[in-house]
Amino acid sequence: MILPRGVADLVDFTWLIGGPQGSGVETASTIFSRVCAKAGYQIFGKREFHSNIKGEHSYFEVRVSNKTVRSNSSAVDLMVSYDAETIFRHYSTVAPGGSIIYDLDMRDTETVDVATMDPYFKERLHAEIRRLGVPPTVRGVLDAAARSGVRTYPVSFRDLLADLAEQHGNPRLKLMKRMYNVLGVSLSAGLVGLPRDLLLGSVQDVFSKKAMVKKLNADAAAHAYDSGADLGDLAHALAGAEKLPGTALVQGHQGTAIGKMVAGCRFQSYYPITPASDESVYLESNEILDVKHAGPGSISVVQTEDEISAIGMMIGAALTGVRSSTSTSGPGFSLMAEALGWAGINEVPVVITLYQRSGPSTGLPTRHGQDDLLFAVFGGHGEFPRIVYASGDIEESFYDTCLCFNYSDVYQLPVIHMMDKFLSSTTVTCPVFDPSRITIDRGRLLDSIDGEYRRFQLGGDGISPRSYLGLKDGIFWNTGDESDETGHITEDPVVRRQMMDKRLSRMDIVLERVPEEEQAVCHRTGEYTIVSWGSTKGPILDALEMLESEGVSVGFIQIKMLHPFPARRVERLLEGARVVIDVESNQTGQMGKLFSQSIFRRIDHYILKYTGRGMTCDELHDAISDIIRGGAPHRTVLMHGS
Amino acid sequence: MILPRGVADLVDFTWLIGGPQGSGVETASTIFSRVCAKAGYQIFGKREFHSNIKGEHSYFEVRVSNKTVRSNSSAVDLMVSYDAETIFRHYSTVAPGGSIIYDLDMRDTETVDVATMDPYFKERLHAEIRRLGVPPTVRGVLDAAARSGVRTYPVSFRDLLADLAEQHGNPRLKLMKRMYNVLGVSLSAGLVGLPRDLLLGSVQDVFSKKAMVKKLNADAAAHAYDSGADLGDLAHALAGAEKLPGTALVQGHQGTAIGKMVAGCRFQSYYPITPASDESVYLESNEILDVKHAGPGSISVVQTEDEISAIGMMIGAALTGVRSSTSTSGPGFSLMAEALGWAGINEVPVVITLYQRSGPSTGLPTRHGQDDLLFAVFGGHGEFPRIVYASGDIEESFYDTCLCFNYSDVYQLPVIHMMDKFLSSTTVTCPVFDPSRITIDRGRLLDSIDGEYRRFQLGGDGISPRSYLGLKDGIFWNTGDESDETGHITEDPVVRRQMMDKRLSRMDIVLERVPEEEQAVCHRTGEYTIVSWGSTKGPILDALEMLESEGVSVGFIQIKMLHPFPARRVERLLEGARVVIDVESNQTGQMGKLFSQSIFRRIDHYILKYTGRGMTCDELHDAISDIIRGGAPHRTVLMHGS
Amino acid sequence: MALRVADYKTDVHNDWCPGCGDFGIVNAIQMALAEMGIERDQATIFSGVGCSGKTSHFINTYGIHTLHGRVLTFAQGAKVANPDLTVVAVGGDGDGLGIGAGHFVAAGRRDIDMTYIIFDNGVYGLTKGQASPTLKLGEQPKSLPKPNLNYNVNPIGLAITSGYTFVARGYSYDIRHLKDMIMQAVRHRGTSFLDVLQPCPTYNDINTRDWYAGLDMKDVAERHSRIYKLEDTGYDPAVHYADRGDLDEKISQALIRSLDWGDKIPIGVFYKNEHITSFETRMQEHIPNYIENPPARQRISEEGSPLTDVSGLLGSLLV
Amino acid sequence: MALRVADYKTDVHNDWCPGCGDFGIVNAIQMALAEMGIERDQATIFSGVGCSGKTSHFINTYGIHTLHGRVLTFAQGAKVANPDLTVVAVGGDGDGLGIGAGHFVAAGRRDIDMTYIIFDNGVYGLTKGQASPTLKLGEQPKSLPKPNLNYNVNPIGLAITSGYTFVARGYSYDIRHLKDMIMQAVRHRGTSFLDVLQPCPTYNDINTRDWYAGLDMKDVAERHSRIYKLEDTGYDPAVHYADRGDLDEKISQALIRSLDWGDKIPIGVFYKNEHITSFETRMQEHIPNYIENPPARQRISEEGSPLTDVSGLLGSLLV
Ligand SMILES: Cc1ncc(C[n+]2csc(CCOP(=O)(O)OP(=O)(O)O)c2C)c(N)n1
Ligand SMILES: Cc1ncc(C[n+]2csc(CCOP(=O)(O)OP(=O)(O)O)c2C)c(N)n1
Ligand code: SF4
Ligand code: SF4
Ligand SMILES: [Mg+2]
Ligand SMILES: [Mg+2]
């Protein structure tokens, strides 16, 4: 359980590294995360970056604790930076008592020298600088930070590199600014007393491909670590914690990717798009699969010409009886709207993993958002059954991926698995995924045919036995038109009604048969209860623990099945809730609309964020507190993050 | 006002003609409609047809009255048929006291001989025939009809044709089965006493292109009319009515097409699709426009390679300051989902005319449905402003088209104008469209630039002055990414929020500024009140008049603005309504969801139809009566129509 | 028991217009399937949307009537997942070369082992006769309000530049020849493309059966069928050597012939290249046992338990 | 006052990677606009989505950054509505030949007077280096997990068979030549297509600037730039006579040259045909005053009242 900052025995430490995109910030943060995790800490790390390949500002925050952490906090304890932009953008988030390691060389850099800072940010920065009464330089803002109790550690990255060049007898090394990252992370590790061997080990792991580079980086790390250790008096801040066995360090896309492997997905089509394609690239990189009692299996990953083709190919593959999926983001999903309905009318089990990002249109393509929910639920012309299912964190996403495939097979419909950029760009520690908890249920998929076969046989619960292309004697037809039991076109009004009812009755069946806890998770109930979905789970749980430690108990219902909406369960769980608070990362409170249309109840308060940045537990904590205190507006908009 | 069948002085007569598609049924019904309209009657005619070019069954029902009629009734007064399928499909809808003119030659045709009757219909037919205890032939079912009080008139179409061949000295005419249509309509006109000269005039109008054919058909009509007049004793059934001045006979697509011309739409892109493309073809056929005080204008109609291109081209054209639109149906609209968001984020005024048909997927491509509403409201990833506006009948659609262009210009957003197949395949009499009632409001479209220009200037009500491509000094940028005031990309969180709020605040502004009656029309309120939208208006008004004549008063609120949803107005109008009944042509009650999510109130009863056939006033009347009588289920499904 | 043509027919009522060229194509497909002895449940016909799209309902194999313009995407997905299937995709000219042109180009690059047949009637049949992409500039079949404003696409040329390795044309009223083309196409390893000239008597009153037969030609003495067979002229479509010289020659001659129209319209094989690595082979380079153990043959669970063993990957994640 | 190159530059921060070939293309466009003296507010740059898509923000004319793959649709709509605009569409190879290939083919058939420039770098830059459709089979630029599984599309060949009437190639490090190509392209009446070889130093480590310069060639003595200019070889791209003979020859030679790659890569104009009726002329056949009075010039209202007079149509509806 997270306690407020300063409670004894609790480690709750946030590290931030920033720099131009493409310069290696990601590598540095990978190393830091690994070291902390190996040192026994739980971590939550998240990356923010521009829609740009090189040069724009990117940063990574890692929260480190000896308890579970599931979100970022608004305050930073240690920031390391070798570029001015990082300082300008983040100095004010460093908490009093926190620290900044920075590059001496940039002390005199002025705000106007930083071309990548857009005018809007600059304007706000200048206002702040004027208020602080300091010069518009790195030195100026650092002085201001120091005044408010932040420790600032100047370091000459150039000198460190020069030392290394000398050590290796290679003067060209002096120019390798890329190495600033390893230096930065190692300085940090030294300063906070992370175990030195873990750092060196992690650096070597990360650069394992080329021996030369590996050695060089390890030497740099060692040297910088030692310099860091000399810097100050935080030596025991992160000296280590008791390691939980079976802890994994996972990245955002690995939950769904490994979930697909285990679930038996053997075909994935995709068209590149941020933040979805990492998953497909990971699958393709690991396309050959170990299979128990058999030779290697594999997943065919096909990069298509567009998302229309991606969904078409996925459906074609699924018709052969293969578990098939695609992975995309908003713009790609828009292009899939038509074929989604085809899968719906033909009862084809497919899974679309929808990694949301900020819309509308191209929007903020590398930023977070939860704004595709209503589109996932209502997208595509006409009416057809589908399931929309959302995971709250990476660990869940592994198990949920397998559930989604089961749902699609058992109920014979397309499943849209809602993920988002918050999840995809996170690195966290969590209990390693446990495939033994997975069950595969292929529903009424046939493996042989007995007698006459009709794909869309009416009767019973309306879920017909399913043949597949190539199955002996299992011939069927499919069509986007309304069809009869064999799958041939019909315009008969009576059959039309039967078929519409057959398909759509599945929405009730799903709510009846899917276990209630899979539909909505009740974390707690209370007079004030939060309803939410997807990746807000982490910040909410962290905020609720903060409130708890203040003696305030707030309920939380995490809705996982968004469509069909588990109205009865949610209604029942909310019986004792006087005030319902909807937390979402979008502008219009989309889930709140599903909620109200299903249970005819008003949302009392909305807490929304749509800047493209994820919620921190602090800002959420404050917003909830305000509501409980009374007088908060109907709609609170969160703004933290650069 | 429509009174129940049989009330003195009221003419309420339904004529039905059927035959294989492509054989001329449409021509026949056009002639019949024109004759009735010219004779002073109000008419409502609607065509049902298969997704097929030639051979499948198609039929047309024309309801004729001396009062306004807005829908079909379930019962037919006179049916004319020269093919067996028409008899088999429709004999049972002919009301006792009604009449059937049929072709002697087909008397012995058996049900099994009719290949185009699908097995499901045949099965039901056979069951009915068994119940009636007649042979499975045309003669059999006609005997049964006669027993229940239907007058049957056998006619030899072959002989009529032979007479004509003789008259023209051209034996080949005997084989021209196409002419059966003119014969059928003329027999009907003769039987019911429609003025002979009007018939001959209409026939000549319809065949005005080729002199030979015109003459031939006119002769055929004259001859058949006389034979018809000799048939029976209905001679004064439709002898004529007092003609309302300024009455037009219009077809479904003409309201939006002529509306576009008057509204100043000068660019229309489209990709062929039923039932939307008739409008585009009509526009292209009439592309050169008379313009007051100027030389001819024109509308550029571009047939594109797909709907993605159609929406892209429309947006491109709109950016030049030209009022631009496209017209499509469900599958095409699905493909437009992505670019719709682009228009939204860039505040481009465009109008998409969405002629709905039965989905999902290809669905019943030539049948009616209102199942794209939630998709129109929530389609496209991310959140952006839009207006979804629905017309209730063809007359409205003319005025609404002009409103939609004004909305798009004034509020700078995409407008989706909801139409449907019920409307598009209807032919009705109505007061001729009055362009003098139209106002054109282009909102803040600039015609010159004064000083520095920023397309997305913040401040004020958030609606910025609009330049267009090619305007002197009006340079701007657009992007699908989040952008700043000039239209350049930004990822700044503060600007992001400002821009999201700027755009989405327009939803409130629309509800504030659009006159309330344009948002929702209150036809009447009551303890029982119907809420509905779009083309159900006609059947509802007709059903309510039937109820009224029985002394039952039921309210009706027609919601035209579906998004943003006029919650406050609807809520207020419904204050006195104890029971709210939602009438829609879909399976899931889509508008009901918008209703509940906006005003947190349950729909008490749904009356739904999703067989692809439009509602008749009778079946709606019965369903409402059942509800009022008590004990009706929560959801009533209507089934009339073949 | 050997399968006969009749075995490949369904009893679905065929509602194409009398005289429609589509009938000949369906017959030719059924004849080709029978002659090649392909088991009914080992073949799948994928179709697009249009009159032509109904084809899959008339053939008694697996039949997937997809979406307008998307037939190639469904077909390719199925074939990659189950390379044992015989996959034939069919659709209209609007379907394949208008809305579907992007997939047409991409499929050429992939060159998966399947056959694609376009029913080329110059119009959008099912939506009532608008211009299709193969209609020539300025032509005005009866339901166009104005003459066609656009140039036509050249299906043969487009296929060749897109990378199709077998490119041919048939005529729907020469069923034996067409059947032969289909058999060659199905047997070819790689994506084979077949453009079938298909009169639409209802809407295309220009390129009618009589027109193809040359019956409209003024000079009666000189009248001849507009259609001739490439093979009758000694034309050799095949790339014989994997060098640039032969390739250049075969591509150029095919493109030149593809521009022929009017009084001399070639049918037959325009281009054939067997020197291209097949898709399966390319897949094998990534997945060594792809052919023996493609997605469709893999078992994924045993009594509900997953068979995939990810312990290696998971181990690498442990800290 | 004459406009200078600098006038066509915006002060938007350019965040392309150092050394990216895109810089040269933007410069060349700006130089071409300046040299042709096109008023800034009479030109619109439409762009697709990708690194290349940012182009429109760097050029100080109207700039419309559209959607991935859809740039041609927006551009054509604007040009039809306002034929007075100078319209230049730009975008990546993935944008134009992958997701946008269908529009690419259709635009060729329409042949509207505008210019389309593809930034051909063999990769999907902005999504981090996946294979684009122009990447060759088996190549593996650094961010591909496996060698490329597909054949490449041939942009020049595809453009010619799709009907483009001006087809050329430039190289982003030969800015003067590129500027010249752009000017020819803009001046050509009809859709002109320009394939620009654009090294992406970040993701395409195969077709680098050094590679184009031939620096990797083994035999130092024989080293030469891989790029040569068609015009230097006496190549004549133009169709001079409106007969089949000349057309066949010019198309074939262009297609053969379009297959050149490896040690000899041609740039310059591959094909040019001015014997094709322009789109405006074709529109005029429908709408006689289309050019003087296109959509963008028409007044539609006067003090809020519609100017369109539909009384004729309405009269015909009266009963
Ligand atoms: C996305 C989409 N747009 C439009 C349609 C309407 N539509 C149905 S068939 C067809 C064209 C058919 O023409 P073609 O492909 O040439 O086939 P044919 O009927 O000539 O065989 C169209 C446009 C559709 N079904 N889906
Ligand atoms: C519908 C859609 N799918 C995917 C993307 C993601 N995306 C952005 S840029 C890009 C490809 C860029 O490659 P290319 O067109 O070659 O341009 P380059 O970056 O190389 O200039 C993709 C796939 C998108 N924006 N929209
Ligand atoms: S419309 Fe043309 S293509 Fe379609 S079925 Fe009729 S004849 Fe055949
Ligand atoms: S990724 Fe490549 S194409 Fe994109 S900006 Fe960098 S170098 Fe240029
Ligand atoms: Mg066609
Ligand atoms: Mg590229």
Side-chain angles (χ1 to χ4, degrees), chain A residues 468-482:
Chain A
Y468 57 85
L469 304 185
L471 180 62
K472 188 150 172 41
D473 298 328
I475 288 181
F476 62 82
W477 290 267
N478 276 175
T479 168
D481 290 63
E482 191 55 271

Side-chain angles (χ1 to χ4, degrees), chain B residues 153-222:
Chain B
Y153 301 105
V155 171
S156 170
F157 281 68
R158 192 161 31 139
D159 289 354
L160 286 172
L161 216 50
D163 295 349
L164 196 68
E166 197 168 338
Q167 184 185 331
H168 279 252
N170 180 354
R172 279 171 53 200
L173 287 184
K174 280 195 228 167
L175 303 172
M176 288 194 58
K177 289 208 166 190
R178 254 198 112 68
M179 301 216 37
Y180 279 13
N181 284 292
V182 169
L183 298 177
V185 70
S186 307
L187 282 164
S188 308
L191 178 66
V192 299
L194 278 162
R196 192 174 191 270
D197 56 327
L198 292 182
L199 172 72
L200 300 186
S202 292
V203 168
Q204 288 179 319
D205 289 353
V206 166
F207 294 102
S208 62
K209 293 230 176 93
K210 291 189 209 138
M212 256 291 291
V213 179
K214 182 162 126 181
K215 168 92 174 67
L216 187 63
N217 278 286
D219 289 349

Side-chain angles (χ1 to χ4, degrees), chain A residues 98 131 134 149 371 447 581 606 610 635:
Chain A
R131 209 184 49 74
V134 293
D371 45 3
D447 49 23
I581 305 167
Y606 284 97
Y610 44 97
R635 194 167 165 277

Side-chain angles (χ1 to χ4, degrees), chain A residues 49-52 89 118-121 124 308 330-332 334-335 337-338 341-342 344-346 358-367 371-372 374-375 378-384 479-482 484-486 490-497 500-501 503-505 563 571 585-590 593-594 596-597 599-603 610-613 635 637 639 641-642, chain B residues 49-52 89 118-121 124 308 330-332 334-335 337-338 341-342 344-346 358-367 371-372 374-375 378-384 479-482 484-486 490-497 500-501 503-505 563 571 585-590 593-594 596-597 599-603 610-613 635 637 639 641-642:
Chain A
F49 56 103
H50 281 74
S51 176
N52 155 269
R89 286 202 179 258
D118 50 82
Y120 309 96
F121 172 70
R124 295 196 301 276
I308 298 181
S334 275
L335 291 173
E338 189 193 11
W342 195 96
I345 197 172
N346 286 293
S358 278
S361 197
T362 313
L364 297 169
T366 59
R367 308 285 179 180
D371 45 3
D372 296 336
L374 289 169
F375 182 40
F378 297 116
H381 63 282
E383 300 170 299
F384 54 91
T479 168
D481 290 63
E482 191 55 271
D484 63 16
E485 289 183 303
T486 56
T490 182
E491 302 196 18
D492 186 77
V494 176
V495 179
R496 160 70 173 178
R497 181 184 172 186
M500 282 294 279
D501 291 347
R503 290 187 297 263
L504 289 164
S505 68
H563 184 82
E571 200 168 11
S585 287
N586 56 45
Q587 210 261 10
T588 58
Q590 300 193 15
K593 297 199 171 155
L594 295 178
S596 294
Q597 79 186 24
I599 71 178
F600 316 104
R601 183 171 172 170
R602 228 174 263 267
I603 296 289
Y610 44 97
T611 59
R613 280 69 175 172
R635 194 167 165 277
V637 179
M639 289 298 298
S642 186
Chain B
F49 56 103
H50 280 74
S51 176
N52 154 269
R89 286 202 179 259
D118 49 82
Y120 308 97
F121 173 69
R124 294 195 301 277
I308 299 181
S334 275
L335 291 173
E338 189 193 13
W342 195 96
I345 197 171
N346 285 295
S358 278
S361 197
T362 312
L364 297 170
T366 59
R367 307 284 179 180
D371 45 4
D372 296 337
L374 289 169
F375 182 41
F378 297 116
H381 63 282
E383 300 170 299
F384 55 90
T479 169
D481 289 65
E482 191 55 270
D484 63 16
E485 290 182 302
T486 57
T490 183
E491 302 196 17
D492 186 76
V494 177
V495 179
R496 161 68 174 179
R497 180 185 172 184
M500 281 295 279
D501 291 347
R503 290 187 296 262
L504 289 164
S505 68
H563 185 81
E571 202 169 8
S585 287
N586 56 46
Q587 209 263 10
T588 59
Q590 300 194 15
K593 297 200 170 154
L594 295 177
S596 294
Q597 79 185 25
I599 70 179
F600 315 104
R601 183 171 173 169
R602 230 174 261 267
I603 295 288
Y610 44 97
T611 58
R613 281 68 174 170
R635 195 167 164 277
V637 178
M639 289 297 297
S642 186

Side-chain angles (χ1 to χ4, degrees), chain A residues 173-448:
Chain A
L173 286 182
K174 280 194 231 169
L175 302 172
M176 288 194 55
K177 289 208 166 191
R178 253 198 111 69
M179 302 215 38
Y180 280 13
N181 284 292
V182 169
L183 298 175
V185 70
S186 307
L187 282 163
S188 308
L191 178 65
V192 298
L194 278 162
R196 193 174 189 270
D197 56 327
L198 291 182
L199 173 72
L200 300 187
S202 293
V203 168
Q204 289 180 319
D205 289 352
V206 166
F207 294 102
S208 62
K209 294 230 175 94
K210 291 188 209 142
M212 257 289 292
V213 179
K214 181 162 127 182
K215 167 93 175 66
L216 188 64
N217 279 285
D219 290 348
H223 182 52
Y225 183 93
D226 298 338
S227 310
D230 292 343
L231 278 180
D233 52 0
L234 286 171
H236 295 288
L238 294 180
E242 202 185 324
K243 198 155 155 184
L244 295 177
T247 296
L249 180 68
V250 294
Q251 280 180 287
H253 58 268
Q254 289 171 326
T256 57
I258 301 177
K260 286 182 182 187
M261 296 174 188
V262 173
C265 173
R266 292 296 174 262
F267 184 94
Q268 164 121 339
S269 50
Y270 81 106
Y271 185 71
I273 192 161
T274 309
S277 28
D278 287 349
E279 185 210 87
S280 299
V281 173
Y282 184 83
L283 283 173
E284 190 174 351
S285 309
N286 296 286
E287 64 197 337
I288 299 181
L289 302 167
D290 291 336
V291 175
K292 286 171 200 149
H293 332 303
S298 62
I299 172 163
S300 292
V301 179
V302 181
Q303 181 187 323
T304 57
E305 61 274 25
D306 60 18
E307 290 88 350
I308 298 181
S309 181
I311 187 168
M313 285 209 200
M314 166 183 67
I315 296 173
L319 290 173
T320 70
V322 170
R323 283 193 157 181
S324 304
S325 75
T326 186
S327 196
T328 190
S329 176
F333 188 66
S334 275
L335 291 173
M336 296 182 180
E338 189 193 11
L340 186 65
W342 195 96
I345 197 172
N346 286 293
E347 308 188 25
V348 187
V350 288
V351 174
I352 299 172
T353 313
L354 178 51
Y355 276 96
Q356 298 166 95
R357 65 190 208 189
S358 278
S361 197
T362 313
L364 297 169
T366 59
R367 308 285 179 180
H368 173 57
Q370 291 185 298
D371 45 3
D372 296 336
L373 175 60
L374 289 169
F375 182 40
V377 171
F378 297 116
H381 63 282
E383 300 170 299
F384 54 91
R386 81 187 85 189
I387 286 175
V388 178
Y389 201 73
S391 293
D393 58 35
I394 301 175
E395 187 186 357
E396 264 182 31
S397 76
F398 168 77
Y399 301 99
D400 290 351
T401 298
C402 300
L403 283 182
C404 286
F405 278 96
N406 285 351
Y407 296 154
S408 74
D409 266 338
V410 171
Y411 305 108
Q412 298 186 20
L413 38 64
V415 176
I416 300 158
H417 185 191
M418 304 299 279
M419 297 288 292
D420 59 39
K421 191 264 167 186
F422 181 95
L423 297 173
S424 78
S425 62
T426 348
T427 304
V428 294
T429 45
C430 69
V432 70
F433 310 146
D434 181 359
S436 77
R437 282 171 51 197
I438 302 298
T439 303
I440 291 183
D441 185 349
R442 302 227 52 189
R444 300 194 183 143
L445 180 66
L446 297 168
D447 49 23
S448 67

Side-chain angles (χ1 to χ4, degrees), chain B residues 53, chain C residues 16-17 20 22 51 121 125 198 200-203:
Chain B
I53 300 301
Chain C
W16 284 326
C17 309
C20 175
D22 290 356
C51 296
N121 58 8
Q198 174 245 315
C200 163
T202 301
Y203 292 118

